[in-house]
Amino acid sequence: MNSKYQPLFEEFTFKNNAQIKNRMVMAPMTNFSSHPDGTVSDSEIDYYVRRSKGVGMVVTACTYVTPNGKGFHGEFGGDHDGMIPSLKRLASSIKEQGAKAVLQIFHGGRECPPELVPNGETVSASAVASEGSENTPRALTESEVNDIIKAFGETTLRAIKAGFDGVEIHGANGYLIQQFFSPHSNRREDRFGGSLEKRLTFPLAIVDEVQKVVRTSAKEPFIVGYRFSPEEQSTPGITMADTLELVDALSNKGLDYLHVSLMDFWSAPRRGVENTKLRIEYLLERINGRVPLIGVGSIHTADEAINALSTGVAMVALGRELIMEPDWVQKVQDGKESEIVTTLSKKNQNQLVIPDPLWQAIIHTPGWFPVVD
Ligand SMILES: Cc1cc2nc3c(=O)[nH]c(=O)nc-3n(C[C@H](O)[C@H](O)[C@H](O)COP(=O)(O)O)c2cc1C
């Protein structure tokens, strides 16, 4: 290996003593390939096995914690105990390759396709449609909100029983947890909304509930991470200044990591702070060493990864790049970083072990992946 990449291969020990072998993480990516009953499919297992040998940790595609949180066709479920064998298969297949397996736990809120949720009724913090959507969700009652908080804890217990090494709370990408933090989707006037501080109530209550379950039920170190998106385009919407408050509160929670969701690791803030630093720099400054941060977004080459790590993030996550190049980590380790593939050939679906529904989504979504013939 070229010695300049050595820092990518240093072990990392979380606050709870769980250890991972290097600083590379597979980013959570929905693959649309589970069975309609919410169980994990063989093609999905094969896809994860192909990508879990090199990285230190795999964060799975998101799993819904309640039936009305199912956000994608072919999303696997974590909403009842009958799903534990399916979750166990997924956890084992990742861990057998040498990576830690972290289950991303999720509720889609107003972004759920109505045909996937009971009675076609989507729910959110308030009855506000997302921009460009004609589907107005129903505002959750206070007792339903409390039930969803508990459901995040119950899915965490299933993750423990299934042998996962941790959970990542999906507070990013515009889904329910973010909908409660956002002034666009949260117009409530109860304890869950009204001020920025009150909009933090739901995300922080989920963290507390998940941590309570881990404290009482996990027998081995169990990782708890939290993913967030730094900004929203809508007005009103989450600004970088809002996110720094969220991150400040999360940094005092004793979490094992925070994970920012970005399409470009090097992006600059849109609004709310002076545009003098990168988002990642603002985040690291505010966190100030209290909790490790995982960075992500358009990291393709080994040089890009080492540059990203040198900003001070604890780990770098690779998403699309690991779909295009499952052997990314091994190639850097073997000094073959110049052989890393950074495009997707239309001929390589089978060789890359990409399930059909994910493949179809990739080749029919312009601009998402650098697809070549
Ligand atoms: C196919 C696909 C599915 C994704 N699904 C999820 C998901 O389930 N949860 C999540 O937090 N992010 C999801 N993302 C976002 C990625 O985790 C990541 O943040 C994004 O792709 C940018 O990283 P990259 O440039 O390395 O791909 C998804 C991205 C892709 C490409």
Side-chain angles (χ1 to χ4, degrees):
M1 190 207 322
N2 184 327
S3 58
K4 74 173 163 175
Y5 303 127
Q6 189 57 44
L8 290 168
F9 291 89
E10 277 171 16
E11 284 181 351
F12 184 81
T13 306
F14 290 98
K15 206 171 280 169
N16 70 6
N17 282 330
Q19 226 179 37
I20 56 170
K21 65 184 177 191
N22 63 41
R23 305 305 182 98
M24 269 79 66
V25 174
M26 179 168 169
M29 283 183 291
T30 291
N31 54 57
F32 317 103
S33 304
S34 307
H35 296 300
D37 68 358
T39 54
V40 169
S41 67
D42 290 349
S43 64
E44 211 170 357
I45 296 286
D46 294 345
Y47 159 88
Y48 278 108
V49 167
R50 183 72 185 85
R51 291 169 174 78
S52 302
K53 286 191 183 69
V55 291
M57 181 166 101
V58 171
V59 184
T60 68
C62 60
T63 188
Y64 49 95
V65 301
T66 61
N68 66 2
K70 183 168 183 172
F72 304 95
H73 288 268
E75 179 180 350
F76 64 90
D79 60 324
H80 63 92
D81 286 354
M83 288 296 160
I84 293 175
S86 155
L87 295 173
K88 197 172 205 156
R89 249 190 105 203
L90 179 58
S92 308
S93 67
I94 294 169
K95 293 199 309 182
E96 279 161 15
Q97 311 310 311
K100 294 279 184 203
V102 172
L103 182 71
Q104 195 184 49
I105 54 177
F106 156 96
H107 189 297
R110 68 181 183 179
E111 299 300 332
C112 294
E115 70 272 18
L116 292 185
V117 295
N119 309 316
E121 185 185 61
T122 54
V123 295
S124 184
S126 301
V128 181
S130 46
E131 272 192 351
S133 165
E134 278 161 21
N135 176 42
T136 302
R138 178 176 65 75
L140 289 159
T141 65
E142 202 164 333
S143 92
E144 286 174 319
V145 179
N146 288 327
D147 288 346
I148 292 177
I149 293 167
K150 287 211 179 69
F152 274 92
E154 285 157 10
T155 301
T156 301
L157 184 58
R158 290 178 199 116
I160 293 169
K161 289 183 177 166
F164 275 97
D165 298 298
V167 291
E168 178 174 286
I169 299 167
H170 190 347
N173 301 352
Y175 299 112
L176 187 69
I177 300 178
Q178 184 175 323
Q179 288 162 29
F180 268 84
F181 184 51
S182 167
H184 185 274
S185 35
N186 185 346
R187 313 280 170 101
R188 299 176 77 97
E189 288 168 2
D190 59 4
R191 68 188 188 94
F192 294 105
S195 61
L196 184 141
E197 201 181 24
K198 286 182 163 181
R199 283 188 274 112
L200 281 171
T201 308
F202 182 69
L204 298 181
I206 290 173
V207 172
D208 288 342
E209 184 68 21
V210 166
Q211 288 179 321
K212 187 176 88 188
V213 169
V214 171
R215 262 197 317 277
T216 51
S217 302
K219 300 204 170 52
E220 285 164 27
F222 191 82
I223 299 163
V224 180
Y226 187 105
R227 195 169 212 220
F228 62 94
S229 292
E231 295 188 75
E232 289 179 332
Q233 286 183 15
S234 59
T235 305
I238 296 172
T239 68
M240 195 68 208
D242 296 337
T243 288
L244 294 179
E245 296 304 316
L246 169 72
V247 160
D248 193 48
L250 290 172
S251 298
N252 291 334
K253 280 283 177 194
L255 287 158
D256 292 294
Y257 70 85
L258 299 183
H259 188 175
V260 62
S261 179
L262 291 171
M263 291 309 276
D264 176 8
F265 183 94
W266 305 102
S267 57
R270 186 180 282 127
R271 58 184 172 170
V273 290
E274 277 177 43
N275 197 347
T276 52
K277 281 179 267 191
L278 301 174
R279 285 167 163 162
I280 208 85
E281 292 173 323
Y282 275 108
L283 293 168
L284 285 165
E285 185 182 271
R286 190 58 169 258
I287 292 169
N288 196 19
R290 286 177 286 170
V291 57
L293 178 66
I294 303 180
V296 71
S298 301
I299 295 169
H300 300 293
T301 65
D303 282 333
E304 285 165 354
I306 195 72
N307 287 343
L309 196 70
S310 72
T311 60
V313 296
M315 285 157 263
V316 291
L318 305 175
R320 290 165 294 179
E321 184 52 44
L322 270 191
I323 292 184
M324 300 187 285
E325 176 58 276
D327 296 322
W328 196 97
V329 178
Q330 294 90 326
K331 284 189 175 170
V332 180
Q333 203 155 18
D334 296 345
K336 295 184 176 159
E337 62 277 359
S338 61
E339 294 173 26
I340 287 174
V341 179
T342 57
T343 55
L344 189 72
S345 164
K346 278 189 184 155
K347 300 185 191 83
N348 283 352
Q349 181 191 355
N350 292 339
Q351 187 203 321
L352 293 172
V353 194
I354 300 177
D356 264 330
L358 176 58
W359 181 256
Q360 293 304 326
I362 289 172
I363 59 174
H364 291 118
T365 312
W368 207 16
F369 281 71
V371 180
V372 295
D373 281 337

